[in-house]
Amino acid sequence: EQHRPALGIGRGLAHGLTQGAGIAAAAHHPAAGASHQKWRQPQQIGRVHGQRRGTLSVPRRPAGGGPDTEQRADPVPAAMALTLYGGARSRASMPRWYMEEKGIAYQWQQLDMEAGEHREAPFTAINPFGKVPALVEEDPALPGGRVQLFESGAILLYLAERFGGECQTAAERGLAQQWVLFANATLATALFVPSNREREFPRLMEVLDHKLGHGPLIGSSWSVADCAVNAYLAYLPIFFPQIDLSPYPQVQATIAATQQRPAYQRVMGQR
């Protein structure tokens, strides 16, 4: 996923990866990870840029899904930690944006993609395919004490259900999955595959323009669905400035509103 255009590089805190045999299986097979309850001293991957702290909770948001407030949460308990691994040109910007919007505490670790750091140990213990983004949550309450995920869509949906207050029913979960999969598959292909862009782009934009005219994609406030879809729409003026969006006024308005959100600007490095 790292070769997709990114929302922006941004800055955050690097967090080391704990090595040890079987850690990749620990999140899914508690018995396999039982012998690794005491993790070794973490090894640093990538560059340390800074730090953000907060509680793993949802901050107050204006009605209608408007831009978030500048109010940050209290320090996160030391026993719990979220680390997002990404690169300068990766989809890691989407889960970063979501966590910023929701006030979820996390640590950001930017890998040196040009040096191939994502294809080497210890990162390949998190994603053996050597792709970013990847997310690691460490919490004693989890099976094996941690969970680790790759694929931006899986990460977004995990964050939405566990920390974002979303996906609380099967119906809500299905709707969120629908839009995240649409964004990462249908919409991404229509944008970044030239032959598909010529054939699919106008039809998708017409439908999205109508849909966006009725407010957020799910419910009455900004959600993981808006994060996934609007992130790709925001690519348009950056990577395809030659495309005339005037026939799609609601798409244009959504892009403009996205660019004004404080959380989006923080990830873009504009604040």
Side-chain angles (χ1 to χ4, degrees):
E1 288 192 63
Q2 66 268 22
H3 300 298
R4 297 287 188 185
L7 288 172
I9 298 176
R11 299 293 179 185
L13 172 70
H15 180 65
L17 165 68
T18 302
Q19 287 186 286
I23 63 175
H28 304 289
H29 303 283
S35 62
H36 302 286
Q37 293 296 323
K38 294 183 179 180
W39 303 101
R40 300 177 184 177
Q41 181 65 29
Q43 295 188 5
Q44 178 180 312
I45 310 174
R47 295 175 292 171
V48 177
H49 296 304
Q51 182 171 350
R52 176 177 302 283
R53 291 189 181 274
T55 58
L56 302 177
S57 61
V58 183
R60 180 178 58 83
R61 299 192 308 278
D68 66 345
T69 66
E70 292 298 324
Q71 179 180 356
R72 310 308 299 169
D74 297 327
V76 65
M80 302 176 66
L82 279 175
T83 303
L84 180 67
Y85 297 83
R89 295 184 63 82
S90 76
R91 292 183 183 179
S93 296
M94 285 193 287
R96 282 196 76 192
W97 178 25
Y98 185 84
M99 288 190 283
E100 289 285 341
E101 288 279 358
K102 295 288 189 173
I104 301 169
Y106 71 98
Q107 297 174 319
W108 164 243
Q109 182 136 0
Q110 182 172 312
L111 305 184
D112 189 339
M113 310 295 285
E114 293 185 1
E117 194 172 17
H118 56 299
R119 296 177 179 172
E120 302 173 350
F123 179 72
T124 50
I126 294 177
N127 185 358
F129 298 104
K131 304 285 188 179
V132 296
L135 180 77
V136 173
E137 180 188 1
E138 295 180 282
D139 181 352
L142 292 169
R146 65 193 270 138
V147 64
Q148 47 197 55
L149 298 168
F150 53 85
E151 292 293 334
S152 61
I155 293 170
L156 277 174
L157 291 167
Y158 180 79
L159 293 170
E161 182 167 348
R162 182 156 168 78
F163 303 112
E166 302 184 48
C167 306
Q168 299 304 297
T169 67
E172 292 176 355
R173 190 176 301 110
L175 286 171
Q177 292 170 345
Q178 166 189 278
W179 285 110
V180 171
L181 292 173
F182 167 81
N184 276 356
T186 306
L187 185 56
T189 301
L191 291 181
F192 297 112
V193 178
S195 60
N196 288 49
R197 186 162 64 245
E198 296 173 2
R199 182 176 64 254
E200 294 290 329
F201 182 83
R203 183 176 63 86
L204 293 181
M205 290 300 103
E206 288 177 7
V207 175
L208 277 175
D209 196 67
H210 175 76
K211 179 66 177 175
L212 293 170
H214 292 83
L217 294 173
I218 299 177
S220 60
S221 61
W222 189 94
S223 72
V224 67
D226 301 288
C227 180
V229 172
N230 296 353
Y232 281 105
L233 294 179
Y235 289 151
L236 287 169
I238 300 173
F239 297 102
F240 309 105
Q242 75 280 7
I243 295 179
D244 180 14
L245 296 178
S246 60
Y248 319 112
Q250 296 301 328
V251 170
Q252 288 182 311
T254 297
I255 293 172
T258 295
Q259 293 170 338
Q260 294 303 311
R261 297 183 76 94
Y264 180 85
Q265 293 178 353
R266 286 194 295 271
V267 174
M268 288 292 287
Q270 296 174 357
R271 291 176 69 96

